[in-house]
Amino acid sequence: QKEVEQNSGPLSVPEGAIASLNCTYSDRVSQSFFWYRQYSGKSPELIMSIYSNGDKEDGRFTAQLNKASQYVSLLIRDSQPSDSATYLCAGGFTGNQFYFGTGTSLTVIP
Amino acid sequence: DTGVSQDPRHKITKRGQNVTFRCDPISEHNRLYWYRQTLGQGPEFLTYFQNEAQLEKSRLLSNRFSAERPKGSFSTLEIQRTEQGDSAMYLCASSPGRGEQFFGPGTRLTVL
């Protein structure tokens, strides 16, 4: 079983809509989670980190962590064409190993 | 520019040759990670340094791979006797702690 799993999509939303990205994790993964954005041909860029159960908001982005259900999600409000990218979920494993999901490709349609 | 830098950005080599990549982390970050990424996949953890100490290494990593971080500053990743399956983007990331990682632009390796 992979430690971190994502629906690879692709996901398409119209401009201005809410994009919802989801990630599940195995119980081997510790309780620190991260969302990265990766444009084609570029390296991952950190968007959000979340360590506690509940929601964390930063601008148009909201990360949600539900430890009981072992999932973490990212909501992007008022989606813009510039948000079109692959979104990677990552979990920190005890011992300082990090596991990334395969990524969800998001396209925001103008 | 105070971000993470990697050198070279591209490397083409023939099978069986050795290659070495360099990573210069953000200066105040004492944690450094190496990853490998292939098309359509997320980054795959290779190894982790805290200062000059290599504290974690993926158990899936071939012994042809070795990494160093002398003096706790820049790091090098060497691949010996390269194979075509080693073709990938090699990413370096540095972190101030708590797992938040900042990636360099990567080194794209092509093994012919």
Side-chain angles (χ1 to χ4, degrees):
Chain A
Q1 179 185 357
K2 291 185 178 179
E3 281 75 9
V4 176
E5 296 202 43
Q6 292 182 256
N7 183 337
S8 61
L11 175 66
S12 294
V13 299
E15 184 175 354
I18 296 175
S20 178
L21 305 161
N22 300 305
C23 174
T24 58
Y25 61 91
S26 72
D27 57 10
R28 293 183 66 244
V29 179
S30 71
Q31 305 297 288
S32 59
F33 298 93
F34 309 88
W35 283 99
Y36 289 84
R37 176 175 62 199
Q38 187 171 28
Y39 292 112
S40 180
K42 301 294 186 182
S43 58
E45 173 191 9
L46 180 66
I47 299 175
M48 295 278 290
S49 58
I50 186 165
Y51 306 98
S52 304
N53 218 23
D55 295 359
K56 179 181 178 182
E57 185 174 321
D58 184 0
R60 297 187 295 113
F61 299 97
T62 299
Q64 300 173 318
L65 174 59
N66 184 321
K67 295 180 181 179
S69 300
Q70 293 181 205
Y71 83 79
V72 58
S73 64
L74 180 70
L75 300 178
I76 306 174
R77 291 181 299 281
D78 187 24
S79 295
Q80 301 298 308
S82 59
D83 294 327
S84 297
T86 296
Y87 289 81
L88 296 160
C89 172
F93 179 62
T94 52
N96 293 299
Q97 292 202 26
F98 285 83
Y99 293 93
F100 282 76
T102 55
T104 299
S105 176
L106 171 67
T107 299
V108 179
I109 303 168
Chain B
D1 186 353
T2 58
V4 179
S5 61
Q6 292 186 245
D7 184 69
R9 296 291 302 276
H10 304 272
K11 179 69 177 179
I12 300 173
T13 190
K14 293 182 179 179
R15 187 176 53 187
Q17 298 295 304
N18 299 344
V19 295
T20 300
F21 309 141
R22 176 179 171 125
C23 171
D24 286 272
I26 295 170
S27 58
E28 58 267 31
H29 291 181
N30 64 350
R31 303 177 188 209
L32 186 147
Y33 302 80
W34 283 99
Y35 294 88
R36 174 173 59 192
Q37 187 175 26
T38 54
L39 194 63
Q41 300 297 314
E44 174 194 3
F45 172 84
L46 297 179
T47 191
Y48 160 71
F49 289 86
Q50 185 166 333
N51 299 311
E52 67 276 7
Q54 186 176 20
L55 299 184
E56 287 289 338
K57 185 176 178 180
S58 171
R59 53 190 166 82
L60 301 178
L61 194 61
S62 164
N63 57 13
R64 296 183 295 106
F65 287 69
S66 62
E68 294 182 339
R69 193 184 181 195
K71 303 179 183 179
S73 56
F74 71 92
S75 176
T76 58
L77 177 69
E78 181 183 19
I79 309 174
Q80 296 181 327
R81 305 180 302 281
T82 52
E83 302 173 355
Q84 288 185 326
D86 296 332
S87 295
M89 177 72 82
Y90 288 83
L91 295 165
C92 173
S94 70
S95 173
R98 299 204 74 189
E100 297 185 338
Q101 298 175 42
F102 299 85
F103 284 83
T107 294
R108 182 169 296 283
L109 172 66
T110 302
V111 181
L112 302 176

